Amino acid sequence: MLHPEQSETDAFHWSQKGQNWNHMCADCHSTDFQKNSDFKSNTFNSTFSAINVSCNACHGDSEQHLKWASGNNKIKNRGFTHVIGQKTSLFQSQADGTVKSVSPLKESKQFTMCATCHGRRSNLADRHGPHDFFNAFQPALLTPELYQVDGQV
């Protein structure tokens, strides 16, 4: 139990509206989750493609990746539809003490992908794809109350 001090009547007890699977948990703990909430009947008709966090949750459809893994090296980005590596270029120290870029800055969806589950945020709407961060969430400011000095939640 996440909060043993809570009684079943507390609004944020896991069995209440403020803290249930469909509303608070499933978006991060399953793949392709859609709430499909019905406010009139106060019910959910939720759907997902996997009840856990599958490869597709972060990398997108795996069809091209499986072709790449089978030896088709003409497929770029290992067949992943979403690049979630760091957006930094590689640098190498030079003999004179300077550093020189040895690769261009790579485009990355790391922040918008990872922050959907690993960042403090308020939900605005259902996500429509793994990189729909700014349409589905309001990110929290980086404050000492919410984040450690090194950026950890």
Side-chain angles (χ1 to χ4, degrees):
M1 183 180 290
L2 289 174
H3 303 284
E5 73 282 357
Q6 291 179 339
S7 72
E8 291 181 18
T9 58
D10 289 336
F12 289 100
H13 185 268
W14 68 269
S15 64
Q16 299 297 323
K17 293 179 186 177
Q19 185 93 317
N20 66 41
W21 172 257
N22 290 294
H23 180 65
M24 294 293 291
C25 307
D27 192 45
C28 292
H29 293 275
S30 63
T31 302
D32 298 326
F33 179 75
Q34 294 295 309
K35 285 181 193 173
N36 299 319
S37 56
D38 182 347
F39 292 106
K40 289 182 182 178
S41 66
N42 197 25
T43 60
F44 292 96
N45 186 21
S46 301
T47 61
F48 48 83
S49 64
I51 193 62
N52 57 10
V53 181
S54 71
C55 301
N56 291 7
C58 301
H59 296 287
D61 184 27
S62 61
E63 182 180 345
Q64 290 298 308
H65 175 67
L66 294 173
K67 288 179 182 177
W68 171 84
S70 295
N72 186 343
N73 50 4
K74 292 182 181 179
I75 296 174
K76 295 179 181 179
N77 194 34
R78 297 180 182 164
F80 294 130
T81 55
H82 306 300
V83 180
I84 60 171
Q86 292 183 343
K87 190 177 180 169
T88 57
S89 57
L90 296 174
F91 291 90
Q92 190 172 46
S93 296
Q94 303 299 301
D96 64 0
T98 61
V99 292
K100 180 180 178 184
S101 175
V102 294
S103 68
L105 186 66
K106 297 182 211 174
E107 184 56 38
S108 174
K109 302 289 184 185
Q110 186 179 56
F111 173 78
T112 56
M113 182 66 247
C114 300
T116 60
C117 293
H118 293 279
R120 298 282 186 146
R121 77 282 190 276
S122 298
N123 192 297
L124 301 173
D126 284 350
R127 267 195 293 174
H128 298 287
H131 300 284
D132 196 28
F133 183 77
F134 291 110
N135 292 320
F137 302 103
Q138 171 68 46
L141 295 175
L142 300 174
T143 62
E145 299 82 31
L146 297 177
Y147 290 90
Q148 302 291 335
V149 175
D150 65 358
Q152 293 182 57
V153 175

